[in-house]
Amino acid sequence: MADSDEVGSRITGTALHLLRSAGPGAVTIQAVQAHSGIAKTTIYRRHQDRRAMLRAALSDLMTPTPPPPRADTTDRLHWLVRNAVAAVDGGIGFGGFASLLTDEDPEFSGLFREVLGNQRAALVVVVDELKADGSIPADIDPEALIDAIVGAYVAERARTGRVGDWEGRLFDLLSTALRS
């Protein structure tokens, strides 16, 4: 019998794979069962329904590990940039993001926005710490800064069809702008 953590990881991994490859409508208990080989009864023992399964997958995905203690300003800004886009980049993918924008699956959209709020709260803490220690201007709006990072990421994909050295270019821009 498979280890309990391994089974949970297979369920959430399969749900995320289906989400990224075919959109939120493809994430069903039946589809996860078919793609993972895990019995429906095992999935239902862990997750009451599709919503609970998606919540678990998204929550695991969007819980950032805090930056290392005593990380310098550069490292914390890099952490912020990487984690601000993690929900799309390594998370729901651009297919899931497109579904979110079009509200193709209102249940998924509501759930994603709920889980996203928890992820963003962790990002705001880091921005507030940067403000408190004088690393960035005290009047920076944390939500606007996070939105600017995510918006730049999405714009790069829309403009070029991929995301290349975007992080380095954005970091250089932010470093210059936030020193002012």
Side-chain angles (χ1 to χ4, degrees):
M1 177 161 179
D3 178 76
S4 180
D5 289 341
E6 179 187 326
V7 170
S9 293
R10 282 180 45 211
I11 292 169
T12 57
T14 302
L16 290 172
H17 170 75
L18 291 167
L19 174 64
R20 290 178 191 128
S21 62
V27 182
T28 64
I29 299 288
Q30 293 77 10
V32 169
Q33 182 273 322
H35 284 83
S36 69
I38 297 171
K40 277 192 215 180
T41 54
T42 301
I43 297 170
Y44 277 117
R45 228 179 281 124
R46 292 169 175 275
H47 306 288
Q48 178 179 354
D49 53 21
R50 170 188 184 252
R51 181 178 180 81
M53 183 176 60
L54 268 170
R55 179 188 307 282
L58 292 172
S59 293
D60 286 352
L61 174 77
M62 295 173 55
T63 303
T65 302
R70 297 186 180 94
D72 65 14
T73 300
T74 299
D75 289 340
R76 288 184 291 168
L77 284 173
H78 276 290
W79 178 93
L80 180 67
V81 169
R82 280 190 307 277
N83 283 278
V85 301
V88 176
D89 185 45
I92 63 173
F94 281 101
F97 186 70
S99 175
L100 179 68
L101 292 178
T102 61
D103 208 21
E104 172 186 309
D105 183 334
E107 181 180 39
F108 165 76
S109 297
L111 179 60
F112 182 79
R113 288 182 179 111
E114 179 184 317
V115 173
L116 183 62
N118 298 330
Q119 181 237 18
R120 286 178 68 96
L123 302 180
V124 167
V125 166
V126 172
V127 174
D128 286 342
E129 289 171 354
L130 288 164
K131 289 168 41 173
D133 70 16
S135 296
I136 64 173
D139 61 347
I140 293 291
D141 175 352
E143 294 287 340
L145 177 58
I146 295 164
D147 289 344
I149 293 168
V150 175
Y153 176 79
V154 171
E156 177 73 4
R157 172 66 187 260
R159 182 177 69 81
T160 66
R162 61 182 176 73
V163 180
D165 72 345
W166 163 89
E167 183 180 335
R169 290 188 355 257
L170 180 66
F171 181 78
D172 292 344
L173 175 68
L174 286 175
S175 295
T176 302
L178 294 174
R179 277 194 302 249
S180 302

